[in-house]
Amino acid sequence: MSDKKLDLANIEKYLTSHMQMSASTQGDFPWIFTAYYASDKDLNIYFLTSPSTIHGTQLATNPNVAVAIADSPQDPSGKKAGLQISGLCTQLTEELEVRAALTLWCDKLKVKSPDYSYEGMQSGKISGKMYKITPKKLKLFDESLQEEGKESLIEL
């Protein structure tokens, strides 16, 4: 397996083993938020948030995001790991895409409420909408896999 394929496999494994991310947006000022997410086999990240939040309004005009995923707490003297991503974020609007993303999200997070559905969104039972982050650059730092500073920056 090539280094890039191995890195991508390790990134997919890392994404599926975590459920919360911090992401930053940019508008009149930079903003960071935390969200629960799910991912697909193409390393796209899906999350639910209200378009009226600060990050939601900023994403409407600037789709660029930076994402960090890491366990907290990690032992400062132990082997550290985390994932950094730069990509583009869009609100999903097509019914089939929204349904698929929301199903993926609910399944990963074990959300069972019927309000968390396409119909729940349409009726206003939940104010959130589904968003998709398409990664453009990724870097997995995992000191159990490689020495600090030797990580590869993967461009998709």
Side-chain angles (χ1 to χ4, degrees), residues 69-106:
I69 301 169
D71 286 332
S72 180
Q74 290 187 45
D75 181 354
S77 61
K79 302 264 186 212
K80 293 171 279 307
L83 180 61
Q84 300 164 344
I85 300 170
S86 175
L88 298 175
C89 183
T90 55
Q91 181 183 336
L92 299 178
T93 57
E94 297 295 321
E95 181 179 350
L96 289 177
E97 287 181 318
V98 172
R99 285 184 185 278
L102 189 55
T103 297
L104 192 67
W105 187 86
C106 286

Side-chain angles (χ1 to χ4, degrees), residues 28-105:
D28 292 335
F29 51 89
W31 193 252
I32 192 163
F33 67 96
T34 303
Y36 290 100
Y37 74 88
S39 57
D40 64 20
K41 64 179 176 51
D42 295 321
L43 309 180
N44 296 306
I45 297 172
Y46 302 92
F47 66 97
L48 179 72
T49 197
S50 172
S52 65
T53 60
I54 293 171
H55 55 276
T57 58
Q58 288 185 344
L59 287 168
T61 58
N62 183 347
N64 293 295
V65 293
V67 176
I69 301 169
D71 286 332
S72 180
Q74 290 187 45
D75 181 354
S77 61
K79 302 264 186 212
K80 293 171 279 307
L83 180 61
Q84 300 164 344
I85 300 170
S86 175
L88 298 175
C89 183
T90 55
Q91 181 183 336
L92 299 178
T93 57
E94 297 295 321
E95 181 179 350
L96 289 177
E97 287 181 318
V98 172
R99 285 184 185 278
L102 189 55
T103 297
L104 192 67
W105 187 86

